[in-house]
Amino acid sequence: MNDRILLGHGGGGRLTQQLIQEEILSRFGAGPLQTLPDAASLILKDGRIRFSTDSFVVHPLEFPGGNIGDLAVHGTVNDLAVSGSHPRWLSLGMILEEGLPLATLRRVLDAIQRAAHACGVIIATGDTKVVRRGQCDGLYLNTAGIGEAIPELSLGLDRINVGDRILVSGTLGDHGMAVLSVREGLRIQNGPVSDTRSVQRLVTAIAPLADAIRFMRDPTRGGLATTLNDMVLGQPFGMFIREKSLPLAPESIALAEMLGLDLLHVASEGCLALACAREVADSVLATWRSLPEGAGAREIGWVTDQAGRVILETAIGGQRIIDVPSGELLPRIC
Amino acid sequence: MNFIDGFRRMEAAQHFRTTLADHGALLAKEGRSVQLMEVCGSHTMAIARFGIRAFLPPNVTLVSGPGCPVCVTDPGYIDTAIALAEQGTLILTFGDMARVPGSRTTLEATRAAGGRIEICYSPQTALEQAQTHPDTAVVFLAVGFETTVAPIMAMLDHAIRSGIGNLSLLTAFKRIPPALEALITDPGVKIDGLLCPAHVSAIIGADAYRPYAETHGVACVVAGFEPLDILYGLHGLTRQLVDHHPWVENQYNRVVKPEGNRQAQRIIERYLEPCDASWRGLGEIPASGLQLRHAFTRYDAHHRFGMTPRTGRPNPRCQCGEVLKGKMTPSQCPLFGNPCHPDHPLGPCMVSSEGSCAAGFKYAPGGETP
């Protein structure tokens, strides 16, 4: 096989077959993909499903802590998880640029395989296209996923009450800062590491507290600031967040300070933000902290009656609004 | 070593809340209300980000000055940069410039229409791009105050020594002291104290402000960018006003020397000479700009591409000029928030991350302290 992707790999002929056999089926061929049907045939246990899709155009393809492959698995798995479901199946769409080193593709596929295995999801269907050099930036991925709803978890913004607590499961903004640290022109050593990982276990672990869990979301693009503002938009409540309580990694703080960025605006890819009843906040924290991916969990604030406003008490005791970022902040981080 | 947390300690901040209140009370006893100006855009942003206005007593107000290089850049400059991009030149720019409105459009929109415009974090990237693409004319948008001028000149120095011929600078450099002089002597502007910029002072030195204190009686404190730096700076300014003793207090002496950075000054002087410059909102100020000396005009994009400097047309309803002079707070502008918004800015103060309107909007929509 060539050591680079050729247009012929997408032509549907012998090269395509070779690519599918050697690179795709060798990794994902044990399940519904085995006979390469036009559509996967899946059997649900029962009840409702969650269905989500996400596209990935991160640049560069590889960054401290992961690559576009595990990011694409975790991105969709986490969207399914925070909507209260067990992720089961993913589709994998790949757009490859002519000339992409096969070694890069293999590292990405290996990461997808590892991540899917760790998350317990099956790559059930997929598609590969090759475009001319210059028409895409190495490799773009799309994953869509189906999860089986966890019946006891009923989540919704309408369930949030004044006095509820706001929790996050880990340090904020590490993914965005890790990607930024390896972008052109920035030569950062020992810098931030992406938190790309599944939040599935964090969700299932707190399912027994379901009645008191109001709402959760993973603060990806736009960071925690965007997630919190989305939560209060048009609602009769607001939030009060304490800067001192925010879990932040020193490496990310250092780089964000250097570049003049607010970590509240920067994406995480393995973190949960959650609103829950005050009485269970400590239980959620204890449960999360018993898992490695929840070791950094903190209570960061509470729900107020100031409709639509997210207020931050700053480190020095001042107050300000937390607003959503405007325009181009970090180009293409997911 | 942690250089962040030590400058953000809540207890120390609360101490300054008390001393500022005391100074405010002493001024009030004499019936005085004072107006302080933070000159630098990074101070503006930090003040908003940490909610520092809430620490001030009612008779001490803090207004934002002209210290955001993007905000004071004339729209005609953006027009020239866009014209160069449309000619096929590769433009490199700091990110803030991309969304600043020119007379008719922005660099961001020009890029979307096919113009080659790249955002960079360091002037060094322009040098690297020129080396990687020897057949392409590369233009770096050289905008900034003394702080930014020095590293850009170091880059140009490197380019000249390496014999790189395809790189040029579209300069709109500005000097802080002439602008401050113009503000202080403007009878329509009342400034009792200046929170002097941190990094500009590292280059020009704290002594540069002595005429304002000694001749014009304006209190001056050079302060760093961390919240405790700024609170200590405001404490110092109000102390000087209480004592009726204006002088240049250099609180940022961990970085700023009285004489500044001689090496940076030398490299600036080697390549650049003062010129008259047009400031958005302040108008033309004599000797307030820096241009390439005659011997280096081949590195001047205006000269190389035969571009005559343009005077742009800012949006006629835009009040950025009044905001930059400290005559109007962002929320007093009738356009603030609607229709002028960070997502579709009409004036530069709403675009730049250091702009006072952007700071006001980002951290306190409506302009009030929450």
Coordinates of all heavy atoms in Angstrom, one line a residue, chain A residues 20-60:
Chain A
I20 N -10.5 -0.1 2.9 CA -11.5 -0.5 3.8 C -11.1 -1.8 4.6 O -11.2 -1.9 5.8 CB -12.9 -0.8 3.1 CG1 -13.3 0.5 2.3 CG2 -14.0 -1.3 4.0 CD1 -13.8 1.6 3.2
Q21 N -10.6 -2.8 3.8 CA -10.2 -4.0 4.4 C -9.1 -3.8 5.4 O -9.2 -4.3 6.5 CB -9.7 -5.0 3.3 CG -10.7 -5.6 2.4 CD -11.6 -6.6 3.1 OE1 -11.3 -7.1 4.2 NE2 -12.9 -6.8 2.6
E22 N -8.0 -3.2 5.0 CA -6.8 -3.2 5.8 C -6.9 -2.2 7.0 O -6.3 -2.4 8.0 CB -5.6 -2.8 4.9 CG -5.3 -3.9 3.9 CD -4.1 -3.6 3.1 OE1 -3.4 -2.6 3.3 OE2 -3.8 -4.4 2.1
E23 N -7.6 -1.1 6.7 CA -7.6 -0.1 7.8 C -8.9 0.0 8.6 O -8.9 0.3 9.8 CB -7.3 1.3 7.2 CG -6.0 1.4 6.4 CD -4.7 1.0 7.2 OE1 -4.8 1.1 8.4 OE2 -3.7 0.6 6.5
I24 N -10.0 -0.3 8.0 CA -11.3 -0.1 8.7 C -11.8 -1.5 9.3 O -11.9 -1.6 10.5 CB -12.4 0.4 7.7 CG1 -11.9 1.7 7.0 CG2 -13.7 0.6 8.5 CD1 -11.7 2.9 8.0
L25 N -11.9 -2.5 8.4 CA -12.5 -3.7 8.9 C -11.5 -4.4 9.9 O -11.9 -5.0 10.8 CB -12.8 -4.7 7.8 CG -14.0 -4.2 6.9 CD1 -14.3 -5.2 5.8 CD2 -15.2 -4.0 7.8
S26 N -10.2 -4.2 9.7 CA -9.2 -4.7 10.6 C -9.5 -4.2 12.0 O -9.2 -4.9 13.0 CB -7.8 -4.4 10.2 OG -7.6 -3.0 10.2
R27 N -10.0 -3.0 12.1 CA -10.2 -2.4 13.5 C -11.7 -2.5 13.9 O -11.9 -2.7 15.1 CB -9.8 -0.9 13.4 CG -8.3 -0.7 13.3 CD -8.0 0.8 13.2 NE -6.6 1.1 13.2 CZ -5.8 1.1 12.1 NH1 -6.3 0.8 10.9 NH2 -4.5 1.3 12.2
F28 N -12.6 -2.4 13.0 CA -14.0 -2.2 13.4 C -14.9 -3.3 12.8 O -16.1 -3.2 12.9 CB -14.6 -0.8 13.0 CG -13.7 0.3 13.4 CD1 -13.0 1.0 12.5 CD2 -13.5 0.6 14.8 CE1 -12.1 2.1 12.9 CE2 -12.7 1.6 15.1 CZ -12.0 2.4 14.2
G29 N -14.3 -4.4 12.3 CA -15.1 -5.3 11.5 C -15.8 -6.4 12.3 O -16.5 -7.3 11.8
A30 N -15.7 -6.4 13.6 CA -16.3 -7.5 14.4 C -17.8 -7.3 14.6 O -18.5 -8.3 14.8 CB -15.6 -7.5 15.8
G31 N -18.4 -6.1 14.4 CA -19.8 -6.0 14.7 C -20.6 -5.9 13.4 O -20.3 -6.6 12.4
P32 N -21.5 -4.9 13.4 CA -22.5 -4.8 12.3 C -21.8 -4.4 11.0 O -22.3 -4.6 9.9 CB -23.4 -3.7 12.7 CG -23.2 -3.5 14.2 CD -21.8 -4.0 14.5
L33 N -20.5 -3.9 11.1 CA -19.8 -3.5 9.8 C -19.3 -4.7 9.0 O -19.0 -4.6 7.8 CB -18.6 -2.7 10.2 CG -18.6 -1.2 10.2 CD1 -17.3 -0.6 10.5 CD2 -19.2 -0.6 8.9
Q34 N -19.3 -5.9 9.7 CA -18.5 -7.0 9.1 C -18.8 -7.3 7.6 O -17.8 -7.4 6.9 CB -18.9 -8.3 9.9 CG -18.0 -9.4 9.7 CD -18.2 -10.5 10.8 OE1 -19.2 -10.6 11.4 NE2 -17.2 -11.3 10.9
T35 N -20.0 -7.3 7.2 CA -20.4 -7.6 5.8 C -20.6 -6.4 5.0 O -21.0 -6.5 3.9 CB -21.6 -8.5 5.8 OG1 -22.7 -7.7 6.5 CG2 -21.4 -9.8 6.5
L36 N -20.2 -5.2 5.5 CA -20.3 -3.9 4.9 C -21.7 -3.7 4.2 O -21.9 -3.4 3.1 CB -19.3 -3.8 3.8 CG -17.8 -3.7 4.3 CD1 -16.9 -3.7 3.1 CD2 -17.6 -2.5 5.1
P37 N -22.8 -3.9 5.1 CA -24.1 -3.6 4.5 C -24.3 -2.1 4.2 O -23.5 -1.3 4.7 CB -25.0 -4.1 5.6 CG -24.2 -3.9 6.9 CD -22.8 -4.1 6.5
D38 N -25.3 -1.8 3.5 CA -25.6 -0.4 3.2 C -26.0 0.3 4.4 O -25.8 1.5 4.6 CB -26.6 -0.2 2.1 CG -26.0 -0.5 0.7 OD1 -24.8 -0.3 0.6 OD2 -26.7 -1.0 -0.2
A39 N -26.7 -0.4 5.3 CA -27.2 0.2 6.6 C -27.0 -0.8 7.7 O -27.2 -2.0 7.4 CB -28.6 0.7 6.5
A40 N -26.6 -0.3 8.9 CA -26.5 -1.3 10.0 C -27.9 -1.7 10.5 O -28.8 -0.9 10.6 CB -25.7 -0.6 11.1
S41 N -28.0 -2.9 10.9 CA -29.2 -3.4 11.5 C -29.0 -3.5 13.0 O -28.1 -4.3 13.5 CB -29.6 -4.7 10.9 OG -30.7 -5.2 11.5
L42 N -29.7 -2.7 13.8 CA -29.4 -2.7 15.3 C -30.7 -3.1 16.0 O -31.8 -2.8 15.6 CB -29.0 -1.2 15.6 CG -28.0 -0.6 14.8 CD1 -27.8 0.9 15.1 CD2 -26.6 -1.3 14.9
I43 N -30.5 -3.6 17.2 CA -31.6 -4.0 18.0 C -31.6 -3.3 19.3 O -30.6 -3.3 20.1 CB -31.6 -5.6 18.3 CG1 -31.7 -6.3 16.9 CG2 -32.8 -6.0 19.2 CD1 -31.4 -7.8 17.0
L44 N -32.7 -2.6 19.6 CA -32.8 -1.8 20.9 C -33.4 -2.7 21.9 O -34.3 -3.5 21.7 CB -33.7 -0.6 20.7 CG -33.1 0.6 20.0 CD1 -34.3 1.6 19.8 CD2 -32.1 1.2 21.0
K45 N -33.0 -2.5 23.2 CA -33.6 -3.2 24.3 C -35.1 -2.8 24.4 O -36.0 -3.6 24.3 CB -32.9 -3.0 25.6 CG -31.7 -4.0 25.8 CD -31.2 -3.9 27.2 CE -29.7 -3.6 27.2 NZ -29.2 -2.7 28.1
D46 N -35.3 -1.5 24.6 CA -36.6 -1.0 24.6 C -36.6 0.5 24.7 O -35.5 1.1 24.9 CB -37.5 -1.6 25.7 CG -36.8 -1.4 27.0 OD1 -35.9 -0.5 27.2 OD2 -37.1 -2.1 28.0
G47 N -37.7 1.1 24.6 CA -37.8 2.5 25.0 C -37.2 3.5 24.1 O -36.9 3.3 22.9
R48 N -36.9 4.7 24.7 CA -36.5 5.9 24.0 C -35.0 5.8 23.7 O -34.2 5.2 24.4 CB -36.8 7.1 24.8 CG -38.2 7.3 25.1 CD -38.5 8.6 25.9 NE -38.3 9.7 25.0 CZ -39.3 10.2 24.2 NH1 -40.4 9.6 24.2 NH2 -39.1 11.2 23.4
I49 N -34.6 6.5 22.6 CA -33.2 6.6 22.3 C -32.8 8.1 22.3 O -33.7 8.9 22.3 CB -32.9 6.0 20.9 CG1 -33.6 6.7 19.8 CG2 -33.2 4.5 20.8 CD1 -33.0 6.5 18.4
R50 N -31.5 8.3 22.3 CA -31.0 9.7 22.0 C -30.1 9.6 20.8 O -29.5 8.6 20.6 CB -30.1 10.2 23.2 CG -30.8 10.2 24.5 CD -31.7 11.4 24.7 NE -32.2 11.5 26.1 CZ -33.4 11.1 26.4 NH1 -34.2 10.5 25.5 NH2 -33.8 11.2 27.7
F51 N -30.2 10.6 19.9 CA -29.5 10.6 18.6 C -28.8 11.9 18.5 O -29.4 12.9 18.7 CB -30.6 10.4 17.6 CG -30.2 10.3 16.2 CD1 -29.0 9.6 15.8 CD2 -30.9 10.9 15.1 CE1 -28.6 9.5 14.5 CE2 -30.5 10.8 13.8 CZ -29.3 10.1 13.5
S52 N -27.5 11.9 18.1 CA -26.7 13.1 18.1 C -25.7 13.0 17.0 O -25.3 11.9 16.6 CB -26.1 13.3 19.4 OG -25.4 14.5 19.4
T53 N -25.3 14.1 16.5 CA -24.2 14.1 15.5 C -23.2 15.3 15.7 O -23.6 16.3 16.3 CB -24.7 14.1 14.0 OG1 -23.6 14.0 13.1 CG2 -25.4 15.5 13.7
D54 N -22.0 15.1 15.3 CA -21.0 16.2 15.5 C -19.9 16.0 14.4 O -19.6 14.9 14.0 CB -20.4 16.0 16.9 CG -19.9 17.3 17.4 OD1 -19.7 18.3 16.6 OD2 -19.6 17.4 18.6
S55 N -19.4 17.1 13.9 CA -18.3 17.1 12.9 C -17.0 17.6 13.5 O -17.1 18.5 14.4 CB -18.7 17.9 11.7 OG -19.8 17.3 11.1
F56 N -15.9 17.1 13.1 CA -14.6 17.4 13.7 C -13.6 17.9 12.7 O -13.3 17.2 11.7 CB -14.1 16.2 14.5 CG -15.1 15.9 15.6 CD1 -16.1 15.0 15.3 CD2 -14.9 16.4 16.8 CE1 -17.1 14.7 16.3 CE2 -15.9 16.1 17.8 CZ -16.9 15.3 17.5
V57 N -13.1 19.1 12.8 CA -12.2 19.7 11.9 C -11.0 20.3 12.6 O -10.4 21.3 12.1 CB -12.9 20.8 11.0 CG1 -14.0 20.2 10.2 CG2 -13.5 21.9 11.9
V58 N -10.6 19.7 13.7 CA -9.6 20.3 14.6 C -8.3 20.4 13.8 O -7.9 19.6 13.0 CB -9.4 19.5 15.9 CG1 -8.9 18.1 15.6 CG2 -8.5 20.2 16.8
H59 N -7.6 21.5 14.1 CA -6.3 21.8 13.5 C -5.3 22.2 14.6 O -5.7 23.1 15.3 CB -6.3 22.8 12.4 CG -5.0 23.3 11.9 ND1 -4.3 22.6 10.9 CD2 -4.2 24.3 12.3 CE1 -3.2 23.1 10.7 NE2 -3.0 24.2 11.5
P60 N -4.2 21.5 14.8 CA -3.7 20.4 14.1 C -4.5 19.1 14.5 O -5.2 19.0 15.5 CB -2.3 20.3 14.5 CG -2.2 20.9 15.9 CD -3.3 22.0 15.9

